[in-house]
Amino acid sequence: MSETKVAEIKNLVKDYGTRGFQTRVLKGIDLKINRNDFTAIMGPSGSGKTTLLNILSSIDKPTQGSVILDGKDITRISNRELSNLRRDKIGFIFQDYNLLDTMTLQDNIALPLSLNGVSSKICLEKTLELAETFGLTQHLKKYPYQLSGGQKQRGATCRALITDPEIIFADEPTGALDSKSSRDLLECLRLVNDQQKATILMVTHDAFCASYAKDVYILSDGKIQCRLSRGLTRKEFYDRIIDMQSSMGGDFS
């Protein structure tokens, strides 16, 4: 079966600062993400992993190089086209949830569809389906302040998935969660990747979190240094990630 490319970056370079005082954060990176991939980006502090995610997800722009999403080079399209692409093709999961405090969890999850003019019937159907997958059915009428951190993050993930985006970008999704909530969220992400064929790109400093992915890219000094692919078990993959971290040294926090 042929692979379907969802995102690709070519010769990606990112500089910060003014002329003569520039720092090169990304140094000619190439990366391709195919449909149904679950990819994690790791690296020591300051390696450029969050910058890479921001550029791939259209939040930031590269100094040079191309960023292809949905078959379009997003560095060359209009702001209106970019806005439509974010709305229709991209889902975001942030560390701090970004749920609206004045809306119930059900309304927060359904919000992207509601803003697109989708009927209330379809909004409800898709919300209930995702809530069941993520173990949130009994919490849908609650407000964010009534939910645990894990419940809020799973709700934010449902909101990211409800439009059936081409790709989900997750920025340290377990960073604010305890160990049980982290495991619950990661199991749900693995489930939607396996069963619903969701494509996920995740930045994380945590080897346990990364071990749920299918492939892990290690970023260091602005370049991709290596790629690790999952074998038969998550535990074996976790051990290999830890070994790679140890061999590279540096602070992965």
Side-chain angles (χ1 to χ4, degrees), residues 40-110:
I41 306 291
M42 299 187 72
S45 178
S47 61
K49 55 187 183 292
T50 297
T51 299
L52 177 60
L53 179 73
N54 288 343
I55 291 174
L56 259 170
S57 61
S58 78
I59 294 173
D60 198 0
K61 293 183 178 181
T63 302
Q64 67 183 61
S66 60
V67 183
I68 311 297
L69 279 178
D70 193 39
K72 301 173 183 175
D73 186 344
I74 64 173
T75 66
R76 300 179 181 273
I77 63 178
S78 68
N79 288 335
R80 182 172 182 177
E81 288 178 293
L82 192 56
S83 177
N84 290 340
L85 186 115
R86 288 182 185 132
R87 181 193 66 197
D88 299 332
K89 303 294 183 178
I90 296 174
F92 293 98
I93 306 172
F94 300 101
Q95 182 175 330
D96 56 357
Y97 324 128
N98 286 356
L99 297 178
L100 298 177
D101 292 334
T102 57
M103 300 175 67
T104 64
L105 181 60
Q106 178 174 307
D107 289 340
N108 266 287
I109 293 172

Side-chain angles (χ1 to χ4, degrees), residues 1-5 34-35:
M1 185 172 63
S2 62
E3 295 177 328
T4 303
K5 184 169 58 182
N34 292 313
R35 191 175 308 283

Side-chain angles (χ1 to χ4, degrees), residues 143-253:
Y143 289 86
Y145 73 89
Q146 297 173 303
L147 302 171
S148 69
Q151 291 161 354
K152 285 189 278 191
Q153 189 61 298
R154 281 181 278 141
T157 304
C158 290
R159 182 185 57 192
L161 287 162
I162 200 165
T163 58
D164 297 316
E166 289 288 310
I167 187 168
I168 300 289
F169 292 106
D171 187 7
E172 298 282 6
T174 64
L177 304 181
D178 60 35
S179 58
K180 182 184 183 304
S181 296
S182 295
R183 188 185 295 271
D184 290 344
L185 175 66
L186 292 165
E187 289 290 354
C188 288
L189 288 177
R190 183 159 65 179
L191 182 68
V192 297
N193 175 251
D194 288 342
Q195 296 188 3
Q196 299 180 24
K197 307 306 178 185
T199 304
I200 303 168
L201 181 78
M202 173 176 65
V203 162
T204 180
H205 70 277
D206 181 19
F208 177 78
C209 184
S211 70
Y212 278 80
K214 292 176 178 175
D215 295 287
V216 175
Y217 290 87
I218 306 292
L219 199 64
S220 180
D221 192 30
K223 298 179 180 180
I224 292 176
Q225 301 295 340
C226 69
R227 169 185 171 181
L228 302 175
S229 296
R230 190 168 69 198
L232 295 177
T233 69
R234 189 197 60 76
K235 176 62 168 62
E236 178 270 340
F237 195 26
Y238 170 78
D239 290 339
R240 282 195 287 128
I241 296 169
I242 289 292
D243 288 343
M244 180 57 65
Q245 283 183 306
S246 299
S247 68
M248 292 182 65
D251 179 10
F252 274 66
S253 62

